[in-house]
């Protein structure tokens, strides 16, 4: 856990310790601020990073967002978007098994950066589908246009 804290402090981000296995931190994107959540399972040598959307999906838009998430997940190779159908929380999840090796800064970076990059790219479309009733296929097409 101390290595995780030190990594983020080195980036100028102060993580908040929720308990001995969980940290939270703000993540600033060009599209908004996300909540980062680091969950450590030392008994299993697994660390998981979540980048949570700042917006909960309204119940009536959850099926459309589920389609959007499925379309995104088909295109990505590391991690996955997921949605809690009960409360509409959407987050990007990526994990790392660090068995037989102490967590290094490069491992932490390789865990966190894909989630941040993907949320920066796909969060605007997700919000359009969730809040503006844009069609999922159209939102994916726009997310995949070159900048």
């Amino acid at each position: 856990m101390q290595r995780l804290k030190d990594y983020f402090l080195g980036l100028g981000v102060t993580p908040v310790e929720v308990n001995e296995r969980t940290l939270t931190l703000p993540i600033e994107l060009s599209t908004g601020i996300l909540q980062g959540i680091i969950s450590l399972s030392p008994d299993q040598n697994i660390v998981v990073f979540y980048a949570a959307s700042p917006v909960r999906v309204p119940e009536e838009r959850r099926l459309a967002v589920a389609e959007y998430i499925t379309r995104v997940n088909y295109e990505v190779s590391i991690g996955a978007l997921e949605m809690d159908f009960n409360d509409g929380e959407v987050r990007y999840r990526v994990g790392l098994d660090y068995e037989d090796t102490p967590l290094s800064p490069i491992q932490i970076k390789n865990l966190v950066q894909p989630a941040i990059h993907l949320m920066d790219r796909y969060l605007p479309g997700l919000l359009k589908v969730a809040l503006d009733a844009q069609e999922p296929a159209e939102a994916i097409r726009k997310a995949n246009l070159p900048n």
Side-chain angles (χ1 to χ4, degrees):
M1 185 59 78
Q2 190 59 50
R3 289 178 189 194
L4 292 165
K5 289 181 194 175
D6 291 344
Y7 175 81
F8 291 109
L9 287 170
L11 296 176
V13 177
T14 303
V16 174
E17 190 168 338
V18 176
N19 57 45
E20 67 277 354
R21 296 165 37 147
T22 307
L23 299 173
T24 62
L25 54 133
I27 301 169
E28 281 191 55
L29 303 177
S30 62
T31 55
I33 297 178
L34 305 177
Q35 180 182 35
I37 304 159
I38 300 274
S39 178
L40 188 62
S41 253
D43 53 326
Q44 297 175 331
N45 298 311
I46 295 173
V47 61
V48 180
F49 179 73
Y50 301 95
S53 168
V55 174
R56 303 282 172 136
V57 177
E59 190 170 353
E60 66 275 7
R61 296 300 299 160
R62 291 182 189 160
L63 284 176
V65 168
E67 178 186 340
Y68 179 80
I69 286 170
T70 300
R71 289 175 180 273
V72 170
N73 286 341
Y74 187 76
E75 295 183 9
V76 300
S77 58
I78 297 175
L81 276 171
E82 56 190 19
M83 178 176 58
D84 183 335
F85 264 89
N86 294 318
D87 66 8
E89 178 187 26
V90 175
R91 60 191 187 182
Y92 194 84
R93 174 184 33 86
V94 64
L96 173 69
D97 179 340
Y98 62 92
E99 186 175 359
D100 294 332
T101 179
L103 277 173
S104 69
I106 194 69
Q107 286 175 306
I108 299 168
K109 177 184 174 190
N110 289 343
L111 176 74
V112 172
Q113 289 301 318
I116 293 171
H117 172 74
L118 270 290
M119 283 299 275
D120 199 30
R121 180 175 180 180
Y122 290 107
L123 182 61
L126 186 142
L127 295 176
K128 287 283 190 187
V129 173
L131 305 176
D132 297 338
Q134 187 173 69
E135 288 298 315
E138 177 66 11
I140 287 290
R141 187 188 68 72
K142 289 182 178 177
N144 289 333
L145 291 174
N147 292 333

